[in-house]
């Protein structure tokens, strides 16, 4: 092998290891982007709700309204949800679970999914513990016969 050839070979090797490096870097970046997107879209699936006393539709068959027993403040407030069928009759056949937390402090206050409890009137109730001022959310999953049919989130400031 003459000197010229060996130089060009070294350059080739240099280029190919560089391009492998950049390919790996690209793959890592793509992987991170996909991961971030997935993490965000899990949040996105919870539809932000309109407000207290507003009709929130669950597909074609049901709707619900929510309210708090008092303006959310430090301490415990009770979230009440009433579900109706499409004819406006109360429905108690669904199950609701809710995860309360602070969106900006994920993992600090999150309760995990907790079952709403029904009272005699068929209201669905969830105690919500507010332990510090700031932005809070309650992410809820509504299920029918064990299958999730709706995800919504209530967002509020304390
Ligand atoms: Cu906090």
């Amino acid at each position: 092998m003459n000197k010229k050839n060996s130089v060009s070979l070294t350059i080739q090797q240099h280029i190919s290891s560089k391009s492998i490096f950049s390919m790996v870097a690209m793959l890592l970046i793509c992987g991170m982007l996909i991961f971030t997107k997935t993490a965000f879209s899990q949040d996105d699936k919870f539809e932000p709700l309109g407000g207290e006393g507003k009709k929130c539709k669950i597909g074609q068959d049901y709707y619900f309204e929510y309210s708090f027993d008092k303006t959310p403040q430090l301490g415990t407030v009770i979230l009440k949800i009433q579900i109706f069928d499409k004819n406006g009759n109360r429905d108690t056949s669904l199950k609701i679970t809710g995860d309360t937390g602070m969106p900006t402090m994920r993992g600090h206050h999150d309760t995990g999914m907790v079952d709403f409890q029904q009272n005699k009137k068929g209201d669905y109730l969830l105690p919500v513990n507010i332990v510090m001022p700031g932005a809070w959310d309650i992410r809820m999953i509504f299920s029918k016969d064990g299958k999730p049919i709706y995800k919504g989130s209530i967002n509020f400031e304390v």
Side-chain angles (χ1 to χ4, degrees):
M1 198 185 280
N2 62 30
K3 204 179 172 192
K4 206 179 170 188
N5 272 350
S6 98
V7 166
S8 76
L9 195 68
T10 315
I11 290 173
Q12 266 184 2
Q13 279 173 344
H14 184 69
I15 288 173
S16 67
S17 71
K18 214 176 163 183
S19 66
I20 287 170
F21 175 78
S22 61
M23 259 169 63
V24 170
M26 284 268 284
L27 280 175
L28 278 176
I29 290 168
C30 287
M32 270 160 59
L33 282 177
I34 290 166
F35 178 79
T36 316
K37 216 181 159 192
T38 315
F40 273 115
S41 63
Q42 277 174 351
D43 268 0
D44 290 346
K45 287 183 202 153
F46 291 89
E47 187 181 322
L49 301 186
E52 286 184 59
K54 293 224 172 95
K55 269 191 191 182
C56 312
K57 285 191 87 175
I58 306 176
Q60 298 300 310
D61 294 331
Y62 304 99
Y63 68 92
F64 67 94
E65 294 171 7
Y66 77 87
S67 61
F68 292 102
D69 66 333
K70 59 189 173 214
T71 307
Q73 53 194 263
L74 289 181
T76 303
V77 295
I78 307 291
L79 171 62
K80 179 171 90 177
I81 291 184
Q82 299 178 315
I83 302 180
F84 303 88
D85 64 20
K86 57 187 166 195
N87 302 317
N89 299 314
R90 290 290 287 275
D91 187 282
T92 55
S93 68
L94 302 194
K95 189 185 161 190
I96 316 175
T97 58
D99 184 1
T100 304
M102 297 186 83
T104 56
M105 301 178 73
R106 279 284 174 248
H108 285 264
H109 311 291
D110 308 71
T111 59
M113 280 296 169
V114 176
D115 290 352
F116 280 64
Q117 301 294 328
Q118 280 185 45
N119 65 14
K120 282 179 189 161
K121 288 186 272 178
D123 301 330
Y124 293 76
L125 304 174
L126 182 76
V128 176
N129 274 319
I130 312 291
V131 296
M132 63 177 277
W136 286 80
D137 67 357
I138 305 164
R139 293 181 291 174
M140 302 173 297
I141 300 176
F142 293 63
S143 306
K144 172 82 177 171
D145 302 326
K147 284 190 192 134
I149 56 170
Y150 180 83
K151 287 179 166 185
S153 76
I154 298 171
N155 297 269
F156 57 94
E157 288 278 334
V158 173

